[in-house]
């Protein structure tokens, strides 16, 4: 004979379990793909969730987010993207540069996808046009290549007597050839020789900076890449160790002790990405959401770092400076 209380307990479990499962299924699932690691990215995932909240969706209450990190190993991105797609996500978010965006593109042509990249998404084959993306992808471009010439001009004004600049790049970045070409063209237009040095992982940083230092450049240009951004503390420390005036793509480097940066606000980009995801969850189609281009650029300087390098910011830089970090 079955104990009545045990039977009621079993019955209650049978009833409540499916209901719990249905509640979980009804909550949209967002897949978040990045080729680096959470360390160093927390402020930006927080900004992304803030944008979601502003759009009407609180993480863990209204939506679930499955964060997948490749830990600097781009070869893992395709598998991670496939895993997210297999989970029947509602939206895929590909961040950290073109490698993640390309992996998302290859993983699905139907799931709405929001990317953040530094290059031109049309040239990269992600969208048909900036105004009318046309497919399942849209997002944000920082147009970091177009900002390269301006960063070179800032370096020229910062160290006017220098004839050689160094450029640190990641050979594994699918957009690196275009970035290098733009940097070289910008250097030529300013009468500067650019010495290019590559690093594919944080393990190669020390050797790369030894090569850079041996070239005795007047200044260093760190190209836009998630590898450098995610490991910005180490990049900044090595630049300080070798006493090389260095310009970066984002304020985050300067906040970590870097000398100077010129670019868009990454925090705002990730917040806006969250807002775009919220719009898609409410029914907007990526094909109809224009790719967002930067409208405000910020120049940030670190005064303490400048003093340690014996650098005085010239008036041309002072006039453009948006923030001074002491």
């Amino acid at each position: 004979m079955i104990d009545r209380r045990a039977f009621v307990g079993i019955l209650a479990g049978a009833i409540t379990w499916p209901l719990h499962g249905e509640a979980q299924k009804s909550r949209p699932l967002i897949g978040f793909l990045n080729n680096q690691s959470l360390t160093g990215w927390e402020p930006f995932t927080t900004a992304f969730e803030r944008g979601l909240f502003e759009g009407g969706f609180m993480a863990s209450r209204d939506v679930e987010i499955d964060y997948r990190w490749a830990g600097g190993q781009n070869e893992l991105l395709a598998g991670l993207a496939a895993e997210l797609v297999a989970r029947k996500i509602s939206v895929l978010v590909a961040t950290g540069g073109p490698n993640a965006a390309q992996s998302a593109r290859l993983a699905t042509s139907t799931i709405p996808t929001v990317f953040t990249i530094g290059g031109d998404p049309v040239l990269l084959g992600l969208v048909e046009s900036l105004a009318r993306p046309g497919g399942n992808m849209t997002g944000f471009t920082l147009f970091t290549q177009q900002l390269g010439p301006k960063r070179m001009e800032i370096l020229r004004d910062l160290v006017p007597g220098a004839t050689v600049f160094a450029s640190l790049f990641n050979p594994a970045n699918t957009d690196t050839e275009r970035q290098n070409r733009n940097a070289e063209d910008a250097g030529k237009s300013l009468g500067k020789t650019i010495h290019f040095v590559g690093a594919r992982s944080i393990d190669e940083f020390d050797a790369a900076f030894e090569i850079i230092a041996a070239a005795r450049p007047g200044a260093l240009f760190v190209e836009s890449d998630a590898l450098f951004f995610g490991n910005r503390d180490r990049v900044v420390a090595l630049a300080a160790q070798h006493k090389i005036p260095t310009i970066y793509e984002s304020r985050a480097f300067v906040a970590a002790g870097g000398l100077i940066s010129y670019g868009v606000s990454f925090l705002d980009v990730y917040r806006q990405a969250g807002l775009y995801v919220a719009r898609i969850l409410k029914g907007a189609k990526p094909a109809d959401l224009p790719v967002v281009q930067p409208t405000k650029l910020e120049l940030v300087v670190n005064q303490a770092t400048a003093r340690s390098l014996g650098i005085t910011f010239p008036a041309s830089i002072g006039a453009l400076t948006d923030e001074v970090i002491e």
Side-chain angles (χ1 to χ4, degrees), residues 113-290:
T113 301
V114 175
F115 55 74
T116 64
I117 61 171
D120 186 335
V122 177
L123 292 177
L124 291 170
L126 301 177
V127 298
E128 294 176 7
S129 73
L130 299 179
R132 301 285 293 183
N136 68 310
M137 303 188 80
T138 187
F140 299 78
T141 174
L142 312 182
F143 273 137
T144 50
Q145 304 145 4
Q146 286 80 345
L147 299 180
K150 183 60 181 178
R151 292 188 184 120
M152 287 288 185
E153 290 180 15
I154 292 171
L155 283 184
R156 176 201 61 192
D157 293 347
L158 195 62
V159 284
T163 58
V164 177
F165 291 160
S167 177
L168 178 66
F169 72 98
N170 180 3
N173 188 323
T174 57
D175 203 34
T176 197
E177 182 179 348
R178 191 175 295 110
Q179 286 200 57
N180 284 354
R181 187 169 59 248
N182 287 348
E184 187 168 28
D185 290 344
K188 286 180 180 178
S189 69
L190 298 173
K192 310 295 182 183
T193 300
I194 310 298
H195 189 72
F196 292 94
V197 180
R200 294 176 179 271
S201 71
I202 190 171
D203 294 334
E204 298 181 4
F205 283 7
D206 284 8
F209 269 88
E210 290 293 340
I211 295 170
I212 289 169
R216 303 180 66 83
L220 172 62
F221 176 94
V222 175
E223 294 193 2
S224 302
D225 189 271
L227 171 64
F228 306 137
F229 186 81
N231 297 287
R232 54 191 175 276
D233 287 347
R234 185 59 184 154
V235 175
V236 166
L238 285 166
Q241 176 184 323
H242 291 282
K243 301 187 181 303
I244 306 172
T246 305
I247 191 166
Y248 307 93
E249 63 174 329
S250 161
R251 178 192 183 280
F253 287 90
V254 183
L259 177 63
I260 190 168
S261 68
Y262 181 70
V264 304
S265 168
F266 277 30
L267 286 173
D268 190 54
V269 167
Y270 277 79
R271 182 187 67 82
Q272 290 190 64
L275 283 168
Y276 250 32
V277 171
R279 291 179 64 179
I280 290 170
L281 291 174
K282 291 177 179 178
K285 297 183 184 302
D288 301 326
L289 292 175

Side-chain angles (χ1 to χ4, degrees), residues 21-87:
E22 288 175 6
Q24 290 295 97
K25 287 181 180 178
S26 66
R27 185 182 297 169
L29 177 62
I30 299 167
F32 189 103
L33 181 67
N34 187 289
N35 68 336
Q36 293 300 309
S37 60
L38 177 59
T39 303
W41 236 269
E42 297 98 328
F44 307 97
T45 55
T46 299
F48 171 73
E49 292 184 15
R50 185 185 309 123
L52 271 174
F53 181 75
E54 291 175 8
F57 297 90
M58 178 182 286
S60 300
R61 185 193 70 183
D62 307 308
V63 296
E64 292 295 330
I65 307 174
D66 187 347
Y67 287 99
R68 299 294 177 103
W69 306 91
Q73 300 180 68
N74 287 322
E75 63 274 15
L76 299 181
L77 286 169
L80 294 174
E83 290 174 9
L84 288 171
V85 169
R87 291 204 64 195

